[in-house]
Amino acid sequence: MRSFEDLLACPRCRGPLRGLRCDACPAQYDAPGGIAALRLDGDARTEQVRRFYAAAPFPGYGARDTYATLRARASRSAFARNLDAAIPDDASVLEMGCGTGQLSLFLANGERRVVGADLTRPSLELAQVAADRFGVQGVRFVETDLRAPGLRREGFDVVVCSGVLHHTPDPRASFAALSRLLRPGGVIVVGLYNSLARLPLRARRVVARLSNYRWIPGDPVLRDRSSEPARREAWIRDQYRHVEEHRHTLGEVRGWFRDAGLTWLRAYPSTLLDGEGDELFAQEDDWAFERMVAQVRWMRSLGPEGGLFAAVGAKP
């Protein structure tokens, strides 16, 4: 297995690290529990989000989880299957905002080097325990913040960041910082709440608040987790009680890609009216009318589970 150290960097000066010591400044970092501590203190709103997830790491693991059950659960997601199929076997992959690491562990096969990064150490500790228990070798977990990442600039073939940017104080600026970690020719995948597709959950949230979260109608995830109180509570906190949330249209996100100098490839699910291809990294043509119709349709297809869509682009 190739070294992971060349994928890390000093979060203060961006210098390379050797033995977690910066070659460019006097900074020395450590790695308690095998998790590199490369996080600088953030602004007040970022620290509030970090404390929110530290109190209840999301999404967590079931008591009977094995690597086989984790892979089986991930494989039920068409997005996860298509992402895994699209990433080359020898790619360097970053999952920024990995939480407790399920997707990072799922993607860590073949000769890939997968870095799972998050600003919340309790989540990463659960991820590391799972990696050790499952015997997954191709993944390393790093405590860092995407606005001052302890990660090499232009170091990654694929950057994945799903369900994260919309919980940052400035999602556009966070996306710009994230895009700088992608090497030329690499692909970035970001998952965001869509402004229209999020409307059904926002309606459920009104009912949840009126009932003091004792009754939340029509949520399929809560039904699936009815026998797992801890994971059920984690979902309620993340979806209904979050301290920072933004929602975005396709046109807005396409502007982020343009401003960062990235080529827009596609949205997932597809915005095409005549069907959807499975190749996640393939470029799709679309037009404004199709994008609007797709977002309205997403209210039904994505709305029940929160309205999360993916945007895919490449660095020329």
Side-chain angles (χ1 to χ4, degrees), residues 32 38 59-60 67 77 82 95 99 114 145 167 170 177 187 189 192 195 202 221 229-230 235 247 260-261 316:
L38 302 177
Y67 192 50
S77 163
N82 290 335
E95 186 192 2
V114 178
D145 180 6
H167 292 315
D170 187 341
V187 176
V189 182
L192 297 155
S195 297
R202 294 177 70 190
V221 177
W235 177 258
R247 296 161 297 278

XYZ file of all heavy atoms in Angstrom, residues 32 38 59-60 67 77 82 95 99 114 145 167 170 177 187 189 192 195 202 221 229-230 235 247 260-261 316:
202
model
N -3.568 10.994 17.742
C -4.125 10.149 18.804
C -5.068 9.093 18.221
O -5.917 9.397 17.380
C -4.911 11.139 19.673
C -4.481 12.496 19.248
C -3.938 12.402 17.885
N -5.266 17.461 12.491
C -4.847 18.571 11.633
C -5.947 19.623 11.537
O -6.123 20.269 10.504
C -4.495 18.048 10.229
C -3.393 16.987 10.162
C -3.201 16.501 8.725
C -2.076 17.542 10.710
N -23.719 8.889 10.800
C -24.949 8.187 11.153
C -24.772 7.070 12.175
O -25.761 6.516 12.637
C -25.380 7.610 9.805
C -24.123 7.353 9.068
C -23.175 8.446 9.497
N -23.570 6.653 12.515
C -23.380 5.608 13.509
C -23.423 4.207 12.926
O -23.724 4.005 11.745
N -18.376 -5.859 7.981
C -18.009 -5.218 6.722
C -18.943 -5.676 5.604
O -19.313 -4.894 4.723
C -16.559 -5.533 6.376
C -16.024 -4.671 5.245
C -16.174 -3.292 5.268
C -15.365 -5.248 4.160
C -15.684 -2.499 4.238
C -14.870 -4.462 3.128
C -15.029 -3.088 3.175
O -14.553 -2.307 2.158
N -27.794 1.585 -2.356
C -27.871 2.943 -2.902
C -27.311 2.953 -4.319
O -26.137 2.628 -4.527
C -27.073 3.914 -2.024
O -26.799 5.113 -2.721
N -22.852 3.520 -8.263
C -22.332 4.222 -9.436
C -21.042 4.971 -9.119
O -20.144 5.054 -9.955
C -23.386 5.189 -9.979
C -24.560 4.465 -10.611
O -24.428 3.329 -11.074
N -25.719 5.103 -10.630
N -12.867 11.836 0.968
C -14.233 12.099 1.379
C -14.178 13.156 2.468
O -13.798 12.881 3.608
C -14.964 10.857 1.891
C -16.444 11.188 2.158
C -17.203 10.141 2.933
O -16.625 9.122 3.346
O -18.414 10.365 3.157
N -17.971 11.996 8.383
C -18.749 11.554 9.535
C -18.141 10.308 10.157
O -16.948 10.273 10.460
N -7.939 6.039 0.276
C -9.103 6.841 0.643
C -8.797 7.572 1.946
O -8.439 6.953 2.950
C -10.356 5.964 0.808
C -11.542 6.814 1.245
C -10.680 5.238 -0.497
N -10.610 20.666 8.997
C -11.726 21.492 8.566
C -11.509 21.868 7.104
O -10.392 22.229 6.709
C -11.789 22.753 9.437
C -12.934 23.683 9.074
O -13.760 23.314 8.219
O -13.002 24.783 9.658
N -24.116 22.689 5.484
C -24.039 22.912 6.927
C -22.881 23.829 7.302
O -22.525 23.934 8.484
C -23.885 21.576 7.671
C -25.099 20.697 7.586
N -26.378 21.166 7.774
C -25.227 19.359 7.339
C -27.241 20.166 7.649
N -26.568 19.068 7.383
N -20.720 29.441 4.884
C -20.670 30.000 3.536
C -20.418 28.867 2.547
O -19.272 28.566 2.213
C -19.567 31.060 3.442
C -19.572 31.811 2.118
O -20.166 31.309 1.145
O -18.969 32.893 2.057
N -12.872 26.283 -1.577
C -11.739 25.700 -0.850
C -11.595 24.220 -1.166
O -10.490 23.705 -1.345
C -11.925 25.916 0.655
N -12.069 14.585 -10.578
C -13.523 14.748 -10.549
C -13.968 15.044 -9.123
O -13.487 14.425 -8.161
C -14.229 13.479 -11.066
C -15.748 13.611 -10.939
C -13.861 13.225 -12.525
N -17.424 15.481 -6.561
C -18.833 15.124 -6.385
C -19.299 15.736 -5.069
O -18.734 15.423 -4.009
C -19.035 13.597 -6.349
C -20.517 13.254 -6.216
C -18.432 12.932 -7.574
N -25.849 18.038 -1.980
C -26.426 19.231 -1.365
C -27.946 19.102 -1.255
O -28.579 18.400 -2.046
C -26.107 20.464 -2.227
C -24.638 20.818 -2.392
C -24.428 21.606 -3.672
C -24.158 21.612 -1.188
N -33.292 23.177 -3.086
C -34.282 24.102 -2.538
C -35.705 23.590 -2.685
O -36.525 23.727 -1.762
C -34.153 25.459 -3.234
O -32.895 26.035 -2.983
N -39.147 19.958 5.036
C -39.378 21.180 5.799
C -40.819 21.230 6.314
O -41.075 21.724 7.424
C -39.064 22.401 4.936
C -37.585 22.497 4.568
C -37.316 23.678 3.658
N -37.460 24.927 4.379
C -37.476 26.125 3.789
N -37.430 26.206 2.464
N -37.581 27.222 4.505
N -36.941 6.963 6.556
C -35.719 6.601 7.292
C -36.061 6.278 8.740
O -35.543 5.313 9.322
C -34.680 7.729 7.206
C -33.441 7.381 8.040
C -34.280 7.977 5.756
N -32.866 2.869 18.291
C -33.126 4.192 18.883
C -31.986 5.187 18.693
O -32.247 6.374 18.426
C -33.339 3.873 20.369
C -33.743 2.442 20.396
C -33.027 1.781 19.260
N -30.736 4.750 18.806
C -29.613 5.681 18.685
C -29.505 6.244 17.274
O -29.325 7.453 17.078
C -28.306 4.993 19.088
N -30.668 10.635 13.214
C -31.330 11.138 12.005
C -32.218 12.348 12.324
O -32.224 13.339 11.590
C -32.163 10.027 11.372
C -32.942 10.450 10.162
C -34.280 10.725 10.109
C -32.446 10.655 8.837
N -34.658 11.083 8.831
C -33.546 11.048 8.022
C -31.187 10.540 8.244
C -33.421 11.328 6.668
C -31.059 10.819 6.888
C -32.167 11.202 6.122
N -30.000 25.643 1.520
C -30.564 24.871 0.414
C -30.224 25.580 -0.888
O -30.138 26.809 -0.936
C -32.091 24.750 0.586
C -32.470 23.952 1.838
C -33.904 24.206 2.259
N -34.153 25.595 2.632
C -33.876 26.115 3.828
N -33.327 25.350 4.768
N -34.143 27.376 4.078
N -15.183 28.381 -9.900
C -13.989 27.640 -9.466
C -13.166 27.117 -10.639
O -12.152 26.437 -10.430
C -14.399 26.477 -8.566
N -13.597 27.408 -11.871
C -12.871 26.947 -13.052
C -13.062 25.479 -13.345
O -12.211 24.859 -13.999
N -10.263 20.918 -15.391
C -9.580 20.748 -16.674
C -8.078 20.527 -16.499
O -7.488 20.997 -15.517
C -9.862 22.076 -17.394
C -11.083 22.634 -16.710
C -10.978 22.176 -15.297
